[in-house]
């Protein structure tokens, strides 16, 4: 069942188009992440789902009901904000139960919910503390508790971890994942952090300038980016994009990097083209991720290249090495136990089962 559907939604602030014809839907119990750079319109979209922001064009459906004009309080949605937005003068118990009191829930039901939620989120020892007496992670738990206690149909999270330090962020990310695994509630989660998106989402919608670039499973987003923006946004370091031409010989396609000659052509016999290609010598970008370049041949589809190492960045468990490939930069990621050196000619292997091709003019996957 589709829990939430957004249809042809557009939004302007004055003359600025912030959201352009957004279409996205999420199945009940799934975890949708809206991922994109700062300012791309994620919070605006979330606020529209919550009913906190008006729509210029398009509709929002929850369980097949058009809620585009329904008041926020009647949407059966709970939102957790980046700033937590706890009431500073209320203690944890009052903060968690405030919404239930407002909706005139019977006292014994409130107590029961409080007990359940506070032990679930491990804040039962903190019920009499004020927000100022809590750590960042504890405040975040209380904010989640306040949303959970109402048993909403859909949870909305707006960058809930970005105010926490790196270590706590990883811990809380796991807790949110565990929470979702247990409760199986529908979630829409906004973040600009690709790792958070990949680890939490059952589906990721990548946005840029108010347009959804790709809406897909984390695996498809990583393995089959639909355009150059997605290829470049996901992965650290991002996918290498080498300029060159797609040549055709009989029924076979090859990639020839700019400044290389025919003898250096890369065979693409295993590549799954989006649709048949008819032109020859098409200008393309050849995409390969740094982690798909190996120092040893590991399978029969590996293609051997010779490149000169120019820079070595040691990062503990791994090293990132910059190579010169026909005067274009290519980054490889290797275990730091491998001796790579700098200014050295090395034999490397491209895993050709893992590559992407993009049309240079349209930036779309081909
Ligand atoms: P994100 O959450 O992805 O960082 P936002 O949805 O907050 O992006 O903002 C998208 C764009 O809309 C930004 O350019 C922002 O400056 C603009 N914007 C957001 N809210 C308002 C507002 N109330 N009035 C005018 N412009 C706004
Ligand atoms: Mg935002």
């Amino acid at each position: 069942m589709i829990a939430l559907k957004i249809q042809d939604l557009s939004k302007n602030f004055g003359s600025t188009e912030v959201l352009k014809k957004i279409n996205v839907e999420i199945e009940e119990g799934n975890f949708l992440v809206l991922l994109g750079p700062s300012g791309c319109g994620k919070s605006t979209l979330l606020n529209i789902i919550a009913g906190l922001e008006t729509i210029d064009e398009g509709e929002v459906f929850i369980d097949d009901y058009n809620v585009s004009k329904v008041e926020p309080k009647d949407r059966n949605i709970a939102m957790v904000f980046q700033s937590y937005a706890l009431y500073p003068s209320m203690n944890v118990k009052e903060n968690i139960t405030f919404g239930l009191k407002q909706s005139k829930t019977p006292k014994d039901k409130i107590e029961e919910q409080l007990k359940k939620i506070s032990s679930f989120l491990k804040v039962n020892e903190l019920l009499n503390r004020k927000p100022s007496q809590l750590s960042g992670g504890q405040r975040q738990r209380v904010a989640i508790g306040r949303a959970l206690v109402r048993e909403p149909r859909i949870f909305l999270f707006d960058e809930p971890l970005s105010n926490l330090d790196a270590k706590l962020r990883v811990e809380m990310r796991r807790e949110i994942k565990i929470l979702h695994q247990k409760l199986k509630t529908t979630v829409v989660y906004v973040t600009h952090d690709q790792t958070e998106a990949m680890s939490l989402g059952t589906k990721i919608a990548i946005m840029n300038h108010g347009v959804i670039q790709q809406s897909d499973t984390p695996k498809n987003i990583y393995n089959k980016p639909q355009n150059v923006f997605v290829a470049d946004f996901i992965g650290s370091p991002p996918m290498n994009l080498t300029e060159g031409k797609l040549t055709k010989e009989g029924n076979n396609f090859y990639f020839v990097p700019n400044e290389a000659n025919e003898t250096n052509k890369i065979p693409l016999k295993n590549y799954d083209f989006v649709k048949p290609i008819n032109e020859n010598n098409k200008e393309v970008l050849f995409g390969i991720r740094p982690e798909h370049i190996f120092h040893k041949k590991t399978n029969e589809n590996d293609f051997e290249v010779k490149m000169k190492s120019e820079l070595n960045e040691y990062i503990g468990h791994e090293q990132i090495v910059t190579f010169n490939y026909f005067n274009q930069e290519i980054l490889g990621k290797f275990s730091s136990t491998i001796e790579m050196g700098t200014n050295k000619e090395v034999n490397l292997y491209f895993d050709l089962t893992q590559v992407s091709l993009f049309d240079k003019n349209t930036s779309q996957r081909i």
Side-chain angles (χ1 to χ4, degrees):
M1 179 175 183
I2 304 290
L4 173 72
K5 182 166 145 189
I6 293 156
Q7 198 176 312
D8 291 332
L9 189 128
S10 298
K11 171 77 184 172
N12 308 313
F13 284 119
S15 59
T16 322
E17 267 189 291
V18 177
L19 298 173
K20 301 169 199 164
K21 288 249 175 235
I22 299 279
N23 281 290
V24 68
E25 56 182 42
I26 169 170
E27 296 265 348
E28 186 173 5
N30 275 287
F31 198 118
L32 171 71
V33 178
L34 303 174
L35 171 68
S38 177
C40 74
K42 305 179 296 293
S43 295
T44 305
L45 182 53
L46 204 69
N47 290 336
I48 286 177
I49 297 169
L52 303 171
E53 193 70 74
T54 57
I55 301 173
D56 290 330
E57 259 176 60
E59 321 284 346
V60 176
F61 297 87
I62 295 177
D63 293 338
D64 284 341
Y65 292 105
N66 189 337
V67 297
S68 307
K69 296 198 172 67
V70 173
E71 289 287 313
K73 67 176 175 42
D74 299 324
R75 292 191 183 197
N76 202 1
I77 271 178
M79 187 146 164
V80 177
F81 297 91
Q82 178 177 359
S83 58
Y84 317 140
L86 298 175
Y87 303 108
S89 62
M90 294 182 190
N91 65 24
V92 169
K93 177 178 168 175
E94 290 158 341
N95 262 290
I96 292 179
T97 56
F98 182 76
L100 294 180
K101 282 189 186 146
Q102 289 292 94
S103 63
K104 307 242 176 344
T105 310
K107 243 189 169 148
D108 50 342
K109 172 79 180 159
I110 294 183
E111 284 299 321
E112 188 192 315
Q113 279 292 83
L114 175 69
K115 219 170 149 188
K116 193 170 91 184
I117 298 295
S118 58
S119 66
F120 185 57
L121 290 168
K122 303 187 213 91
V123 294
N124 32 10
E125 311 269 286
L126 310 171
L127 294 179
N128 294 317
R129 291 208 201 162
K130 297 274 171 64
S132 61
Q133 299 166 307
L134 301 174
S135 70
Q138 289 168 337
R139 276 180 217 165
Q140 186 54 264
R141 283 202 194 97
V142 175
I144 293 173
R146 194 175 54 178
L148 275 182
V149 81
R150 293 171 42 208
E151 302 188 327
R153 189 75 183 92
I154 301 176
F155 266 109
L156 307 180
F157 287 89
D158 193 351
E159 311 237 12
L161 307 184
S162 45
N163 282 340
L164 306 176
D165 64 51
K167 188 165 180 290
L168 194 54
R169 207 153 57 215
V170 175
E171 268 173 49
M172 287 301 292
R173 189 176 83 202
R174 287 193 72 238
E175 288 194 21
I176 290 177
K177 179 129 195 169
I178 291 167
L179 193 80
H180 180 250
Q181 238 170 37
K182 282 190 184 155
L183 300 178
K184 300 187 171 62
T185 323
T186 310
V187 176
V188 184
Y189 186 105
V190 162
T191 182
H192 64 273
D193 181 310
Q194 52 160 312
T195 316
E196 231 170 273
M198 287 297 218
S199 66
L200 288 171
T202 54
K203 185 172 174 184
I204 300 176
I206 298 201
M207 294 175 66
N208 191 30
H209 298 307
V211 177
I212 294 191
Q213 304 288 322
Q214 184 169 358
S215 175
D216 222 325
T217 60
K219 279 195 177 143
N220 281 345
I221 296 258
Y222 178 80
N223 294 315
K224 292 200 163 175
Q226 286 309 303
N227 58 41
V228 169
F229 177 81
V230 177
D232 188 54
F233 195 77
I234 297 290
S236 176
M239 186 181 275
N240 294 293
L241 295 166
T242 305
E243 296 189 8
K245 288 203 166 59
L246 188 66
T247 63
K248 195 176 179 187
E249 291 171 29
N251 285 327
N252 298 321
F253 284 96
Y254 297 87
F255 172 72
V256 186
N258 287 349
E259 296 189 29
N261 58 40
E262 280 292 302
T263 54
N264 305 110
K265 65 187 181 192
I266 301 178
L268 298 169
K269 66 175 190 301
N270 293 308
Y271 188 74
D272 186 16
F273 283 96
V274 176
K275 55 177 188 239
I277 307 275
N278 297 315
E279 30 177 329
N280 200 359
N281 291 324
K282 189 180 177 64
E283 285 194 74
V284 296
L285 298 169
F286 173 85
I288 184 160
R289 294 200 177 276
E291 53 273 34
H292 295 143
I293 300 175
F294 296 99
H295 77 295
K296 264 193 200 149
K297 193 168 172 125
T298 51
N299 76 52
E300 58 168 318
N301 291 311
D302 284 357
F303 179 78
E304 185 177 335
V305 288
K306 274 193 174 42
M307 297 194 283
K308 194 172 168 194
S309 61
E310 292 190 327
L311 185 75
N312 194 318
E313 296 167 83
Y314 173 78
I315 48 168
H317 66 305
E318 283 172 333
Q319 56 183 328
I320 295 163
V321 186
T322 306
F323 299 98
N324 182 320
Y325 186 53
F326 300 104
N327 292 326
Q328 299 190 57
E329 262 182 10
I330 282 211
L331 274 61
K333 192 149 84 171
F334 309 93
S335 158
S336 42
T337 53
I338 297 165
E339 190 51 55
M340 277 292 166
T342 19
N343 289 317
K344 225 175 90 186
E345 190 89 25
V346 258
N347 282 354
L348 294 162
Y349 300 87
F350 289 170
D351 181 351
L352 295 185
T353 61
Q354 301 291 333
V355 301
S356 291
L357 289 170
F358 303 96
D359 183 320
K360 189 175 173 229
N361 295 315
T362 64
S363 296
Q364 296 300 305
R365 185 182 190 86
I366 55 169

